[in-house]
Amino acid sequence: MKICILGFGAVGKGVVKAISMKNNRFKEKYGLDLKVVAVTDTSGAAISNNGLDLDLLLETKEKTGKVSNYPEYGVSGISNVHVLDKAEYDCLVEVTPTDICNGEPAKTHILKAFEDKKDVVTSNKGPLALYFKELNESAMNNGVQFKFEASVGGAMPIINFAHETLSSCDIDSILGILNGTTNYILSRMAKEGSSYEQILKESQELGIAETNPAQDVEGIDAACKTVILANSLLGRDVSYKDVEVTGISKITPESISLAKNEGYLIKLIGEVSGDVLEVSPRLVREGSPFAVDGTLNVATLKTDLAEDVTVVGKGAGPLETASAILSDIISIYKIKQCNG
């Protein structure tokens, strides 16, 4: 199975590292041999239809900062769309940076791959939160697979879990902590009594929070994930613009202390239920499934047959996100095998 990876930041590099670590195991277990035939970053691309050397690819990026410096097969200045025309691939892994304003350039990449009859796996929330119906319909019309487990909760299994393991159930509602950065900040504030500003600064120094943390702390990231769950698991037709969003930047040590005295914690919760589509700070009882610390994500799916089912997992990290991307690739491979 030939893979084209658009975007070679933390997640893209995580996917290549994970394939390098696991490919022999995949051959033994599934008969699946993954070949990365193209990788792009802002400098250009490395393209070899016989497969790139993954260790050399990572080394080139680490030492020079540019995949276009890959020996012999590096190409400077080539656009991602041109790479999709030039590379001979089976499955696109779209992991370019998320743009929540217009979902580009990821939306264009994904739709082009579908039109070229290629399967797509993505962790990119932007196009999913804005154009879910259009993307899904294009995949169906072109007879290809579209998987996006990694777009919600990193390594926390939720989308495929709901579709496969809970396939006999109707899901009535979902409540979840869907952003690891805000959970880390609120957990530290609860433990230490420190201010939001102080913990945010330390989180940025540790690389947990972005230099511009607005997407996380203002609830934008969690809202995108809430939309993806609403559309993919509850059959809604909503976009990011339909979510009521309140972030955590106004949470004070005093409010956290008052909650603790009553046996509660404050967490940023995404909810899809009935007419509700919301992300906001909520009180959760200490000792409940939502009382998770650090960058963990957690979600409870309320179902008709299985009642409440709760999943927990690491919500971020290159290898954690790569684990979800690779599970989608394996799933596509199995479907292809079944279909002959």
Side-chain angles (χ1 to χ4, degrees):
M1 194 172 179
K2 293 184 173 184
I3 308 295
C4 172
I5 302 173
L6 298 187
F8 206 48
V11 175
K13 286 188 287 186
V15 171
V16 168
K17 279 178 191 164
I19 293 173
S20 179
M21 289 164 63
K22 301 286 290 192
N23 209 25
N24 286 336
R25 179 71 176 134
F26 294 161
K27 284 179 203 169
E28 287 171 16
K29 194 171 182 183
Y30 307 113
L32 169 61
D33 183 11
L34 292 175
K35 279 191 167 63
V36 177
V37 295
V39 173
T40 72
D41 66 8
T42 53
S43 76
I47 307 168
S48 169
N49 290 325
N50 293 320
L52 297 161
D53 180 317
L54 302 187
D55 293 334
L56 180 57
L57 185 64
L58 291 164
E59 187 185 318
T60 303
K61 178 69 173 178
E62 195 171 311
K63 285 187 175 171
T64 73
K66 299 177 178 181
V67 296
S68 58
N69 287 332
Y70 185 95
E72 193 178 344
Y73 299 110
V75 188
S76 289
I78 188 171
S79 73
N80 284 338
V81 170
H82 191 182
V83 170
L84 293 179
D85 283 328
K86 196 169 178 183
E88 294 173 11
Y89 71 99
D90 304 306
C91 179
L92 168 63
V93 174
E94 214 300 340
V95 287
T96 60
T98 290
D99 186 318
I100 191 52
C101 296
N102 58 19
E104 293 293 359
K107 181 194 177 194
T108 295
H109 301 156
I110 292 167
L111 288 173
K112 175 169 173 51
F114 290 158
E115 285 155 15
D116 294 340
K117 311 300 182 194
K118 309 294 186 184
D119 301 311
V120 175
V121 173
T122 189
S123 61
N124 202 316
K125 295 176 289 291
L128 287 163
L130 296 171
Y131 307 107
F132 186 89
K133 190 176 181 185
E134 180 185 346
L135 294 170
N136 249 359
E137 284 178 354
S138 178
M140 286 173 65
N141 291 340
N142 285 290
V144 293
Q145 296 294 315
F146 182 33
K147 300 277 189 181
F148 41 88
E149 178 66 50
S151 66
V152 179
M156 178 182 76
I158 185 162
I159 296 168
N160 296 338
F161 173 75
H163 284 310
E164 293 161 19
T165 308
L166 297 178
S167 56
S168 65
C169 300
D170 285 332
I171 297 168
D172 301 318
S173 66
I174 303 168
L175 280 173
I177 295 171
L178 303 173
N179 180 271
T181 302
T182 50
N183 199 52
Y184 177 85
I185 291 169
L186 292 171
S187 299
R188 287 274 310 272
M189 287 176 72
K191 278 183 178 167
E192 299 165 25
S194 305
S195 71
Y196 163 78
E197 292 79 11
Q198 184 186 334
I199 299 296
L200 173 61
K201 187 170 181 293
E202 288 178 24
S203 304
Q204 288 169 319
E205 287 165 3
L206 290 166
I208 290 167
E210 300 287 342
T211 312
N212 177 1
Q215 276 211 2
D216 292 323
V217 299
E218 297 305 335
I220 298 165
D221 175 77
C224 289
K225 293 168 179 173
T226 302
V227 164
I228 294 166
L229 294 178
N231 289 331
S232 62
L233 303 188
L234 274 78
R236 300 284 187 85
D237 181 14
V238 293
S239 84
Y240 168 72
K241 299 171 184 68
D242 298 313
V243 190
E244 276 189 54
V245 188
T246 308
I248 67 163
S249 55
K250 293 186 171 61
I251 303 288
T252 63
E254 291 74 25
S255 57
I256 284 178
S257 178
L258 280 169
K260 277 187 81 173
N261 290 341
E262 299 295 325
Y264 289 94
L265 299 166
I266 297 176
K267 299 289 186 182
L268 187 70
I269 303 286
E271 179 180 357
V272 190
S273 65
D275 297 328
V276 178
L277 189 63
E278 185 180 316
V279 170
S280 60
R282 307 251 186 113
L283 292 172
V284 304
R285 192 165 282 287
E286 288 198 74
S288 78
F290 289 89
V292 292
D293 284 341
T295 58
L296 284 174
N297 281 197
V298 58
T300 294
L301 296 83
K302 194 173 284 294
T303 76
D304 55 348
L305 299 180
E307 297 193 356
D308 288 3
V309 180
T310 301
V311 289
V312 183
K314 282 198 173 179
L319 284 176
E320 289 84 355
T321 306
S323 75
I325 288 170
L326 289 179
S327 74
D328 278 345
I329 291 171
I330 291 165
S331 174
I332 288 170
Y333 173 74
K334 286 178 174 177
I335 290 165
K336 299 282 187 195
Q337 294 294 101
C338 289
N339 294 341

